[in-house]
């Protein structure tokens, strides 16, 4: 799934997809609510900030992220996943535009 972000459209990324025979699926940009893992990263960052002092090395940073990932309640992940069909319906209703987030359309 690709949302047109620079990391997804860089020359090296596109070449990798081509030589690996991977077909890109287009995805509406700025639609984290149809990608449940996009909710997890802010949750984890927020909890790391609350629970830890800033990490001083890569290993410590990885350990903090792993700890908070394990603390993320499965019920919260399920809530994010369960909300996806409704958002997809809204995207279809608005022709792929996510203007409904800001009250538009």
């Amino acid at each position: 799934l690709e949302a047109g972000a620079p990391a997804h459209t860089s020359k090296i990324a596109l070449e990798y997809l081509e030589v690996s025979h991977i077909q890109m699926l287009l995805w509406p940009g700025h639609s984290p609510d149809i990608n449940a893992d996009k909710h997890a990263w802010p949750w984890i960052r927020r909890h790391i900030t609350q629970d830890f002092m800033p990490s001083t090395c890569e290993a410590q940073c990885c350990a903090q992220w792993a700890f908070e990932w394990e603390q993320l309640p499965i019920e919260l992940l399920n809530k994010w996943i369960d909300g996806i069909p409704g958002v997809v319906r809204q995207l279809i209703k608005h022709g792929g535009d996510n203007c409904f987030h800001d009250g538009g359309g």
Side-chain angles (χ1 to χ4, degrees):
L1 302 173
E2 306 296 345
H8 301 161
T9 57
S10 68
K11 183 177 178 183
I12 193 166
L14 295 175
E15 287 175 356
Y16 175 80
L17 294 173
E18 184 178 341
V19 300
S20 300
H21 306 287
I22 298 172
Q23 182 180 2
M24 246 193 313
L25 297 176
L26 298 178
W27 205 249
H30 307 291
S31 295
D33 41 3
I34 55 174
N35 195 353
D37 73 322
K38 299 295 185 192
H39 292 289
W41 304 129
W43 187 96
I44 292 171
R45 279 193 301 270
R46 185 171 54 255
H47 284 81
I48 286 174
T49 302
Q50 292 171 358
D51 297 341
F52 296 101
M53 295 295 292
S55 56
T56 58
C57 65
E58 182 179 351
Q60 187 181 36
C61 179
C62 289
Q64 291 172 355
W65 278 82
F67 175 83
E68 294 298 354
W69 174 255
E70 291 299 324
Q71 302 305 306
L72 203 158
I74 192 71
E75 297 82 12
L76 191 53
L77 286 170
N78 287 335
K79 177 183 170 191
W80 295 330
I81 291 166
D82 291 344
I84 292 173
V87 175
V88 170
R89 284 191 288 278
Q90 288 290 330
L91 284 167
I92 292 168
K93 179 180 174 183
H94 290 89
D97 189 354
N98 63 0
C99 63
F100 60 92
H101 288 292
D102 58 9

